[in-house]
Every structure is written in structure tokens, then in C-alpha cells.
């Protein structure tokens, strides 16, 4: 009976554990894809992430951070950059695995830090519009 209770408890907790994904997107007027691409790579390093892979043609950047408290798998940042009718769209996602709750809002702060660093690198704060 005790063994069944332990197994049931483990299954309940396993069902509660989920991946935490934070998503932020923005568009930029007056900047080319190439400007945003370069500023995005610099912004990744500015927020202490390391670029793991990138594909300029697809507009994809994947970066990783070091592990944090209660995490065995480091947070992963993915950035998609697209150019559509003169506006450059940037979508930023932070995936945190093996974490039940976002401790102290690290994920949301990370996506905001990226957009702030991107803004600084582009040196045109008034032209960023988040949605």
C-alpha cells in the first residue's frame, strides 16, 4: 500500500511539471533585416547567453544560458527574425525545462532584457513597438 501511494504521488507531481515558455514579439520600422540580425546577435551576448546555432536565411538564432537554481537544463532562447513589407519582426522565446514555476520571473525578465539590449544596439529606442 505504501509503495502504491509513493508511485501515485510521483505520477501526480510528474503530471504537474511542465515546460515554461515565455514569448515576446516586436516589430521595427526603419531598420533592415541585416541591422536587426547583427544587433540581435550582440543583444544575445549582452544578456549573458551564448549563441548555439544560427541560420541567416531562415532568420533563426538559438542561444543558451548557464543553469540556474533548481534547473538541470539551461534556459534556451530562440529568436526568429523576418522581414515583411518593410517591417522587421522579431519573435523571442525563452524555454525553461524541468521547472514547475518560473522562479522570480526569470523568463519574463530575460525576454525583456533581450528586447532592451536589441533596442540599445539599434540605438533608436523610439522605433521599437512591442505587441
Amino acid at each position: 500500500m505504501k509503495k502504491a501511494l509513493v508511485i501515485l504521488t510521483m505520477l501526480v507531481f510528474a503530471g504537474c511539471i511542465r515546460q515554461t515558455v515565455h514569448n515576446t514579439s516586436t516589430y521595427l520600422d526603419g531598420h533592415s533585416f541585416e541591422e536587426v540580425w547583427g544587433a540581435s546577435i550582440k543583444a544575445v551576448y549582452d544578456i549573458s547567453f551564448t549563441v548555439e546555432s544560427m541560420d541567416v536565411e531562415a532568420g533563426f538564432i538559438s542561444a543558451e544560458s548557464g543553469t540556474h537554481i533548481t534547473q538541470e537544463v539551461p534556459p534556451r532562447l530562440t529568436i526568429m527574425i523576418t522581414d515583411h513589407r518593410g517591417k522587421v519582426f522579431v519573435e523571442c522565446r525563452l524555454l525553461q525545462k524541468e521547472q514547475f514555476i518560473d522562479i522570480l520571473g526569470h523568463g519574463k525578465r530575460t525576454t525583456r532584457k533581450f528586447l532592451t539590449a536589441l533596442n540599445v544596439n539599434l540605438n533608436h529606442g523610439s522605433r521599437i513597438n512591442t505587441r
Side-chain angles (χ1 to χ4, degrees), residues 22-26 43 47 49 77 92-94 102 104-120 128 130:
H22 298 281
N23 188 14
T24 304
S25 59
T26 187
I47 64 169
F49 274 67
L77 183 69
C92 175
R93 289 185 182 180
L94 183 82
D102 184 11
L104 303 174
H106 173 73
K108 288 182 182 179
R109 280 195 323 271
T110 301
T111 55
R112 283 193 306 256
K113 283 181 182 179
F114 169 77
L115 289 180
T116 300
L118 176 61
N119 184 18
V120 168
I128 268 192
T130 58

Side-chain angles (χ1 to χ4, degrees), residues 13-124:
F13 282 118
C16 292
I17 295 175
R18 61 180 170 75
Q19 296 179 348
T20 305
V21 178
H22 298 281
N23 188 14
T24 304
S25 59
T26 187
Y27 67 91
L28 301 122
D29 288 321
H31 294 285
S32 69
F33 177 89
E34 292 77 19
E35 290 172 328
V36 174
W37 179 264
S40 294
I41 291 173
K42 185 168 180 348
V44 166
Y45 288 108
D46 289 348
I47 64 169
S48 302
F49 274 67
T50 304
V51 173
E52 294 292 317
S53 65
M54 64 177 122
D55 183 349
V56 178
E57 290 179 15
F60 175 78
I61 301 170
S62 175
E64 203 171 81
S65 175
T67 56
H68 298 280
I69 297 170
T70 74
Q71 292 179 322
E72 293 179 25
V73 178
R76 178 164 294 281
L77 183 69
T78 57
I79 301 154
M80 291 296 298
I81 304 169
T82 56
D83 188 356
H84 184 69
R85 296 184 183 171
K87 290 184 180 179
V88 179
F89 291 87
V90 178
E91 183 178 3
C92 175
R93 289 185 182 180
L94 183 82
L95 172 65
Q96 295 171 282
K97 289 185 177 181
E98 299 179 10
Q99 188 174 1
F100 178 59
I101 31 180
D102 184 11
I103 296 174
L104 303 174
H106 173 73
K108 288 182 182 179
R109 280 195 323 271
T110 301
T111 55
R112 283 193 306 256
K113 283 181 182 179
F114 169 77
L115 289 180
T116 300
L118 176 61
N119 184 18
V120 168
N121 290 328
L122 289 171
N123 209 11
H124 296 289

